Amino acid sequence: MLAAELTVASAPAVQARRFEFDQRRTEVRFVYKMAYATQRGRFTKVSGTLDYDEAAPGKSKINASIASASLTTGEALIDNELKGTDFFNVEGSPVIAFKSLEVRTDSPTTAKVAGEMTVNGITKPVMLQVRIESHDDPALKYDVGARRFFATTRIQRSAFNMTSYRSMVDDDVDIEIDAIARPR
């Protein structure tokens, strides 16, 4: 169902550890303004892998995919509109993808990740603000080494050919990726 992968890989000399996103505990949330109201939604089908070395996080690479049909706002009318051809076009573009190009570390647990995001078949550059930390989910207490992967970015919907309702819907869309990455 998903052609998804999140991979963070390092140079051969570095001992990277392979992680996979826990699909039950991973989602991508988005926020935008419509008129005077803040609207929220999320994608619930996200998968991926992460090759990560705490000693050299700047050598990482990321690839991720999201099933666009997993979009939900809690309102069927809005979901149907957003899944249609004027927005995410889930039939014509069933996968939203991200591929990293460069990782600039700010600290051992934070980084800026430059990459490309593909939505509606259109690929544009994006910058993710990323934080990786030990998990705090009690359900994973026996999953030694699991990490929480949290990233944020802002995109313009018009860059991905989502231009309907310009007079009502703001062009800026804030995105949060919230994942638990388990070692494999």
Side-chain angles (χ1 to χ4, degrees):
M1 178 179 265
L2 291 177
E5 182 175 80
L6 175 70
T7 306
V8 177
S10 61
V14 177
Q15 295 298 319
R17 189 168 184 190
R18 171 67 45 112
F19 293 82
E20 289 183 6
F21 284 169
D22 182 331
Q23 292 187 23
R24 292 174 298 151
R25 291 176 175 84
T26 299
E27 70 179 11
V28 174
R29 296 180 289 268
F30 59 92
V31 177
Y32 62 96
K33 298 277 188 191
M34 186 168 86
Y36 298 108
T38 298
Q39 305 294 318
R40 300 178 194 289
R42 63 192 173 106
F43 294 94
T44 60
K45 301 230 188 254
V46 183
S47 68
T49 62
L50 169 64
D51 294 335
Y52 175 70
D53 185 331
E54 290 180 21
K59 304 256 184 208
S60 304
K61 293 187 190 273
I62 302 170
N63 294 301
S65 296
I66 303 163
S68 58
S70 71
L71 178 147
T72 181
T73 63
E75 297 289 333
L77 181 66
I78 294 172
D79 290 357
N80 289 337
E81 189 68 24
L82 290 176
K83 289 178 182 181
T85 56
D86 287 336
F87 290 96
F88 287 99
N89 188 20
V90 301
E91 287 186 26
S93 295
V95 175
I96 298 168
F98 174 81
K99 176 183 178 183
S100 70
L101 301 173
E102 178 184 7
V103 177
R104 293 185 299 242
T105 58
D106 297 328
S107 75
T109 59
T110 61
K112 290 178 181 68
V113 178
E116 297 176 330
M117 182 180 286
T118 303
V119 180
N120 282 339
I122 299 168
T123 302
K124 295 289 182 180
V126 296
M127 179 70 72
L128 298 178
Q129 303 295 321
V130 176
R131 189 174 73 241
I132 296 177
E133 55 195 37
S134 296
H135 72 83
D136 59 359
D137 186 340
L140 299 176
K141 66 183 177 184
Y142 298 111
D143 206 350
V144 176
R147 299 283 186 263
R148 180 171 184 229
F149 177 93
F150 187 79
T152 59
T153 193
R154 175 176 281 172
I155 63 168
Q156 283 65 50
R157 65 186 185 97
S158 59
F160 298 98
N161 199 30
M162 296 186 212
T163 56
S164 292
Y165 305 106
R166 282 185 194 205
S167 63
M168 294 174 34
V169 180
D170 194 27
D171 197 31
D172 289 336
V173 179
D174 291 323
I175 299 171
E176 291 182 344
I177 303 162
D178 194 352
I180 297 293
R182 294 177 155 192
R184 292 290 165 226

